[in-house]
Amino acid sequence: MALCSLHHVIDLDWMKEAYRLTRKDGAPGIDGVTAADYEVNLETRLLDLLERIKSGRYRAPPVRRAYIPKADGSQRMLGIPTFEDKVAQRAIMMVLETVYEEDFYPCSYGFRPGRSAHQALRNMQNVLWAKRLYWVIDLDIQKYFDSIPHSHLRAFLDQRVTDGVIRRMIDKWLNAGAVEDGLLHRTAEGSPQGGVVSPCLSNIFLHHVLDEWFETEVRPRLRGGCTIARYADDALMAFDNIVDAQRVLAVLDKRLGRFGLTLHPDKTRLVDFRPRRTESTRHPETDGTKFDFLGLTHVWGRSRRGKDMVMQVTAKGRFARALAAVSYWCRKHRNWSIRDQHRHLSSMMRGHFAYYGVGGNARRLRWFAHQVVRIWRKWLSRRDRQSVFRWNRLNEILKRHPLPPARILHSFATVSETLP
């Protein structure tokens, strides 16, 4: 049922909660206003923002466009909204989230309250290992966030949200555009860049295009078991026989093309993930015997009891990127005191272990910790060109102030993989 009256729930307390949930350490938008600036006379500002939203006088400012490098050498385009726009988007997103949490399927994990990437990883490990769904479609949508057609998105929103205030705000963000090198660029497709409402709208779009289609049309037509796990635009489908997998792969591109999306021709593939298979014995119509999902490579290994088990290890690209980030930081801050460097490197390592510390990944975690020490010594040696920072001196420092040890924090597997 479409809901036509929702904006009445947005009041001053709602706006205060939206402000509380908005990140305060982000870069400023085109107006240059930071979170600290906005906090001055906060209640007055929020009341004025609330009145402009409900009266229709709010004008969505364009985002400030920036670029960051990707692992493959290309650049990822980012949009940086103003702080006030972030608060407004958070307020509207809170309404949409309440509505659509009733509709979203359990297979969707990305940008939802109470759900995380590790839950998606745990579910995928279980279906591969326990349910024996060994035929995997590794699905990749080409430039998804930049290619969502606005007409289809509005049609999907019409099915559940027709409140005038909410829809007017969404339309303003879709049409706001971006400023780059002093020029305003309008967009006819894609989700609002950089804002918190963007992941929510993207989830709504793929909920109708992919999740609902898979659960209501695909699953009843297949002979065997199947499942899907999706985190934002990163999705996997698993089947218990190759015939079902090939049937779905044959129509998947047509399904997405109907709504203006395109499968990445090089990254979308069918994987034969049966255990005890080598490159020479795998099915000729499949591509590879392992796959990456959410930064972890899924491979077959052996448990401590000698049984086959699905292991999740840090993907090579993510591993190299993490070490490159450590090396870049050490180079830029090699003149800091050793104590300050130690504190920051410890924070970086704890963050790495917090995500990649899954059962079966102990070896790569230990190797990461070892490489961090080597990189740190390398850049400490370059603080003074006339001397070399010797290992015995670094070992003395690490003995007094050790870096965080590699740890398994997410034991998904039945056979626990703990570090010695």
Side-chain angles (χ1 to χ4, degrees), residues 216-231:
T216 61
E217 297 186 34
V218 173
R219 189 188 295 274
R221 290 176 168 84
L222 300 183
R223 295 187 305 173
C226 62
T227 190
I228 181 175
R230 181 178 64 82
Y231 191 94

Side-chain angles (χ1 to χ4, degrees), residues 17 39 58 106 117 122 146 148 168 170 176 201 217 224 269 277 369:
E17 179 66 10
E39 194 173 6
Y58 181 80
R122 182 186 299 113
D146 299 328
I148 298 176
R168 184 169 59 228
I170 294 175
L201 294 178
E217 297 186 34
R269 59 200 183 107
R277 293 294 187 273

Side-chain angles (χ1 to χ4, degrees), residues 59-60 64 98 106 222 225 234 294 315 350 384 412:
R59 298 183 63 182
R64 179 168 62 87
T98 305
L222 300 183
D234 199 354
L294 299 180
R350 280 192 292 267
D384 185 356
F412 300 157

Side-chain angles (χ1 to χ4, degrees), residues 34 52 128-129 140 171 189 251 273-274 309 368 370 405:
T34 63
R52 282 182 285 139
L128 293 172
W129 190 8
D140 187 275
D171 284 341
E189 58 184 16
V251 301
F273 198 67
R274 291 175 294 174
M309 65 174 290
F368 176 80
H370 174 72

Side-chain angles (χ1 to χ4, degrees), residues 53-88:
I53 289 175
K54 291 194 172 184
S55 66
R57 293 190 300 107
Y58 181 80
R59 298 183 63 182
V63 299
R64 179 168 62 87
R65 185 167 290 174
Y67 295 88
I68 59 173
K70 296 175 65 175
D72 58 2
S74 61
Q75 289 188 320
R76 184 186 300 277
M77 184 171 60
L78 294 180
I80 305 175
T82 65
F83 184 80
E84 183 179 66
D85 201 49
K86 293 178 183 178
V87 176

Side-chain angles (χ1 to χ4, degrees), residues 94-109:
M94 289 162 57
V95 178
L96 294 176
E97 191 175 76
T98 305
V99 174
Y100 279 96
E101 276 301 308
E102 300 293 326
D103 298 346
F104 286 154
Y105 287 94
C107 63
S108 172
Y109 294 91

Side-chain angles (χ1 to χ4, degrees), residues 14-34:
W14 191 279
M15 298 300 296
K16 288 182 177 179
E17 179 66 10
Y19 169 80
R20 185 185 71 82
L21 295 175
T22 303
R23 286 186 56 181
K24 311 299 190 298
D25 57 349
I30 60 173
D31 60 356
V33 176
T34 63

Side-chain angles (χ1 to χ4, degrees), residues 330-397:
C330 288
R331 178 173 65 86
K332 295 289 289 185
H333 302 89
R334 60 185 181 272
N335 293 324
W336 281 20
S337 68
I338 292 179
R339 177 175 296 182
D340 290 339
Q341 291 188 41
H342 177 275
R343 184 183 300 112
H344 188 85
L345 286 175
S346 298
S347 177
M348 295 180 75
M349 293 177 69
R350 280 192 292 267
H352 184 87
F353 298 149
Y355 185 81
Y356 295 103
V358 299
N361 198 23
R363 182 176 298 177
R364 291 204 178 178
L365 294 181
R366 288 195 297 265
W367 185 243
F368 176 80
H370 174 72
Q371 290 290 69
V372 168
V373 174
R374 293 181 63 88
I375 292 171
W376 191 22
R377 175 185 173 272
K378 168 187 172 181
W379 290 108
L380 285 176
S381 297
R382 299 191 182 186
R383 287 156 63 102
D384 185 356
R385 296 183 180 180
Q386 303 300 321
S387 64
V388 176
F389 199 88
R390 300 188 180 279
W391 273 112
N392 56 0
R393 183 182 173 193
L394 181 59
N395 289 333
E396 290 176 0
I397 294 173

